[in-house]
Amino acid sequence: AQKITQTQPGMFVQEKEAVTLDCTYDTSDPSYGLFWYKQPSSGEMIFLIYQGSYDQQNATEGRYSLNFQKARKSANLVISASQLGDSAMYFCAMREGTEGGGNKLTFGTGTQLKVEL
Amino acid sequence: DVKVTQSSRYLVKRTGEKVFLECVQDMDHENMFWYRQDPGLGLRLIYFSYDVKMKEKGDIPEGYSVSREKKERFSLILESASTNQTSMYLCASSLWGGEAVEAFFGQGTRLTVV
C-alpha cells in the first residue's frame, strides 16, 4: 500500500495566484513527520516545510504553508502568490520510526507544477 | 555549507557488471538513504542506514545491497547490473530523531546500464 499519495501528476497555476498540492499519508506510528520538497529542472532537492504529528498549528514558511488535517491524514502544501520560479516538481514525504530503530523517509510520486503568466 | 556528495554524476555500465555508487556526507548525520527516481514513480527507497554497519531494507531492495563501514559514507552496490536498473539514484542524509530532521540530498547519479 502507498504510504504517501499525491494524486495530482500535474498542475497549472497563474502567476500571483495561490495553489494547493495534495498529499495524503498512511501510518500507524503515532509519532511521524511530514515534509515537502521542491525539485527544479536542475535536479536538486530543496527542503520547503515540515510538520510534526504532534504540532497543533499548521506550519508556515514564507509563501509556503502546510494544511495539516490529522484525522483525514492529509498534509497539503499551499503556495501563495505563485511565481514563475515555483515551476518545479514537488514531493511530499513522511518520516516514521521502524522496528529496527531507524527513521524511514518515504516519498510520494510528486506533482509537477507549472506557473503561467 | 552542508554537503552530501555522490561520487559520479553520470555513469554507464554494462549488463552483469558490479556497480558501486558512493555517497559521502560531512554533517555527522546518523541516517543515510538511497533512493531511485523514475518518472511517474517518484523517489523510491532502496535501503537506509541509521548507524554504522546498521541497515534496513526500503521498498525496493531487490538487486541492491549497501555498505556503511564509516559514519560519513554509504555505498549502494548493484551486484549484477541489469537494464531495469537504469535510473537516477539519489543519496540523502539526516540527523537521528528530533523534530524537523530534514534530509539533505546529493546531486544524484544518472546510471545507464547497457
Side-chain angles (χ1 to χ4, degrees), chain B residues 8-23:
Chain B
S8 305
R9 194 74 197 261
Y10 299 94
L11 215 49
V12 179
K13 295 292 181 181
R14 294 196 180 277
T15 302
E17 272 192 80
K18 190 167 185 175
V19 181
F20 293 86
L21 302 184
E22 308 284 347
C23 176

Side-chain angles (χ1 to χ4, degrees), chain A residues 28-64:
Chain A
S28 56
D29 191 344
S31 176
Y32 55 90
L34 297 155
F35 302 79
W36 278 92
Y37 281 82
K38 173 184 177 181
Q39 188 182 44
S41 56
S42 53
E44 75 266 36
M45 293 286 283
I46 301 166
F47 166 72
L48 295 177
I49 196 166
Y50 169 81
Q51 180 86 40
S53 58
Y54 296 119
D55 292 343
Q56 297 293 318
Q57 295 198 323
N58 287 342
T60 59
E61 244 352 296
R63 293 186 300 111
Y64 304 107

Side-chain angles (χ1 to χ4, degrees), chain B residues 29-83:
Chain B
H29 283 169
E30 291 83 10
N31 294 326
M32 294 189 77
F33 307 86
W34 274 108
Y35 297 90
R36 64 176 281 176
Q37 182 177 7
D38 301 286
L41 298 176
L43 277 73
R44 292 180 292 166
L45 182 63
I46 304 171
Y47 268 97
F48 66 105
S49 167
Y50 52 92
D51 200 353
V52 175
K53 297 191 190 293
M54 304 302 286
K55 62 186 179 187
E56 286 197 34
K57 292 180 180 178
D59 300 313
I60 52 162
E62 298 78 20
Y64 303 95
S65 62
V66 290
S67 171
R68 185 131 182 237
E69 297 296 320
K70 292 185 176 181
K71 191 176 185 180
E72 67 270 18
R73 187 178 296 269
F74 191 36
S75 303
L76 179 69
I77 303 154
L78 286 66
E79 296 290 341
S80 177
S82 65
T83 54

Side-chain angles (χ1 to χ4, degrees), chain A residues 96-113:
Chain A
E96 56 185 337
T98 68
E99 286 183 8
N103 278 308
K104 186 175 178 179
L105 187 61
T106 309
F107 283 78
T109 51
T111 296
Q112 183 73 50
L113 177 67

